[in-house]
Amino acid sequence: PPAAEPGRGSDIDASGLLLAFAYPDRIAQRKAGGRFLLASGRGAAFAAPQPLGQEPWLVVAELDDQGADGRIGLAAPVELSDLKQRFAERIVVEESVAWDRSAQAVRARRRERLGALVLQDAPLADPDPDAALQALLQGIAAEGPAILPWSRAARRLQQRLCFVQRHDPGWPDVCDAALGADLAGWLGPHLYGLKSREELQRLDLAAILEAMLSWERRRELDELAPTHIVVPSGSRIPVDYSDPASPVLAVRLQELFGLAETPRIMRGRIALTLHLLSPAQRPVQVTQDLASFWQNAYFEVKKDLKGRYPKHYWPDDPRSAVPTNRTRPRNQGN
């Protein structure tokens, strides 16, 4: 084996390094509770407390290889700096980039290993961008859609697109399941440089979803699945697409007077589900057939509403009546 380094204080100081060359698998690192971990992966400990048991690094010359931890019979201390210098060819450098659920962030570390021993473990300030992206995508997949900053505008756009795609598979599928299955495709290009849940809040998901559509498709979406419907009273009422099987228009019944048929979307293919509301915005009827409601159910509903809201306008013929978003139309009697 090589001689001790020049300038060492004594032969004893160099004995640990010499033993390391003889028994590289018995280089040992101190762990909690006075135990040692050998480079081979075996555990070891002194039979009784002694000064060598406080050394951070040892090389074990004699080892009783019995039990869970071998009994150390003879050992010598060694310096970490000497190990790094003299065993450089055996040291494996590992860089890990992974999602840390407790921190809700991507964490990157650089580790130097000698067998089973970790010589150094430190944060990696500038990980590979592609590795950081993959770790963030894995984190988003693990946490689920709630980790993303879904604004009301983004959800409404997503719901409209899900509705249209349900009836025309040629449109992109942006429902949660499809987005979760292709995070790298639709979201990945927007994630470079981001490493945490907090930084994800910078994303504009509505703009990202809209960018998946051509200019022509954006115009067509407004035609097929409008955000609002103008009702006979002149009010612009939002359409609720949260259930793509049955989009809802929730509107006060009085605002639909004079309208013969249920409003339709998807170029007339789909009738909206009308939630007809009282003056207090409470549902009094749900229907997809407004003509049938006027002809049949309206008169029973009118009796109830007229009793509860006597100052409001409840005409006998709702199909020819003047719609209103007020208590009653201007210059209109009972």
Side-chain angles (χ1 to χ4, degrees), residues 170-189:
W171 282 71
D173 186 351
V174 299
C175 298
D176 281 349
L179 293 182
D182 186 31
L183 285 171
W186 72 276
L187 190 60

Side-chain angles (χ1 to χ4, degrees), residues 156-157 160-161 163-164 171 210 213-229 236 239 241 264-267:
R156 286 178 174 172
L157 175 58
R160 291 168 66 210
L161 287 167
F163 163 74
V164 172
W171 282 71
E210 193 172 66
L213 306 175
S214 66
W215 182 81
E216 292 80 5
R217 277 272 166 102
R218 293 178 204 177
R219 286 188 59 191
E220 191 177 5
L221 177 64
D222 290 336
E223 178 187 351
L224 297 174
T227 60
H228 293 74
I229 297 291
R236 293 181 72 249
V239 181
Y241 292 92
R264 305 179 75 85
I265 53 179
M266 283 295 292
R267 297 195 176 106

Side-chain angles (χ1 to χ4, degrees), residues 32-310:
R35 295 180 60 256
F36 284 83
L37 176 66
L38 304 184
S40 64
R42 185 83 165 83
F46 287 100
Q50 57 177 287
L52 271 181
Q54 302 303 311
E55 293 287 341
W57 298 92
L58 295 177
V59 182
V60 178
E62 292 183 1
L63 183 69
D64 175 2
D65 203 20
Q66 302 295 318
D69 287 336
R71 186 75 56 83
I72 299 173
L74 185 65
V78 67
E79 295 292 329
L80 177 60
S81 58
D82 288 339
L83 293 175
K84 285 189 171 186
Q85 180 182 357
R86 298 307 181 96
F87 291 86
E89 75 283 354
R90 292 173 175 255
I91 294 173
V92 176
V93 177
E94 302 172 342
E95 292 185 358
S96 66
V97 185
W99 177 254
D100 184 335
R101 296 201 74 172
S102 61
Q104 292 286 281
V106 173
R107 291 289 182 257
R109 303 196 70 83
R110 183 182 186 276
R111 295 182 180 89
E112 294 181 5
R113 291 185 178 275
L114 179 61
L117 308 179
V118 178
L119 305 185
Q120 187 172 10
D121 184 352
L124 183 62
D126 190 21
D128 175 73
D130 288 329
L133 171 62
Q134 291 306 312
L136 183 57
L137 287 169
Q138 290 166 7
I140 294 170
E143 302 299 332
I147 193 174
L148 298 174
W150 284 101
S151 64
R152 181 176 296 181
R155 277 298 189 196
R156 286 178 174 172
L157 175 58
Q158 180 197 31
Q159 291 163 356
R160 291 168 66 210
L161 287 167
C162 288
F163 163 74
V164 172
Q165 196 274 338
R166 178 186 179 91
H167 297 282
D168 184 349
W171 282 71
D173 186 351
V174 299
C175 298
D176 281 349
L179 293 182
D182 186 31
L183 285 171
W186 72 276
L187 190 60
H190 305 276
L191 298 180
Y192 279 98
L194 306 183
K195 295 186 179 68
S196 68
R197 183 176 195 141
E198 181 179 1
E199 291 175 347
L200 286 174
Q201 306 313 303
R202 304 175 192 168
L203 296 172
D204 184 345
L205 293 182
I208 291 172
L209 293 179
E210 193 172 66
M212 297 169 67
L213 306 175
S214 66
W215 182 81
E216 292 80 5
R217 277 272 166 102
R218 293 178 204 177
R219 286 188 59 191
E220 191 177 5
L221 177 64
D222 290 336
E223 178 187 351
L224 297 174
T227 60
H228 293 74
I229 297 291
V230 178
V231 295
S233 67
S235 298
R236 293 181 72 249
I237 308 297
V239 181
D240 180 358
Y241 292 92
S242 56
D243 179 359
S246 183
V248 169
L249 188 73
V251 57
R252 284 179 295 183
L253 187 154
Q254 293 167 299
E255 300 202 50
L256 296 181
F257 290 158
L259 182 64
E261 300 287 343
T262 305
R264 305 179 75 85
I265 53 179
M266 283 295 292
R267 297 195 176 106
R269 291 167 54 192
I270 306 297
L272 290 171
T273 297
L274 298 176
H275 286 201
L276 303 177
L277 308 179
S278 71
Q281 302 279 0
R282 295 187 178 91
V284 296
Q285 191 79 13
V286 175
T287 183
Q288 286 186 314
D289 188 346
L290 185 61
S292 176
F293 170 75
W294 290 145
Q295 185 174 350
N296 300 300
Y298 169 73
F299 299 100
E300 288 299 319
V301 170
K302 172 190 170 184
K303 289 179 185 178
D304 177 58
L305 292 178
K306 192 169 185 179
R308 286 190 285 149
Y309 306 98

Side-chain angles (χ1 to χ4, degrees), residues 5-23:
E5 277 189 275
R8 301 287 293 198
S10 68
D11 290 342
I12 294 177
D13 292 331
S15 62
L17 184 59
L18 293 174
L19 284 172
F21 282 111
Y23 306 107

Side-chain angles (χ1 to χ4, degrees), residues 17-34:
L17 184 59
L18 293 174
L19 284 172
F21 282 111
Y23 306 107
D25 60 324
R26 293 188 187 178
I27 298 170
Q29 182 181 24
R30 189 176 189 274
K31 297 296 182 180

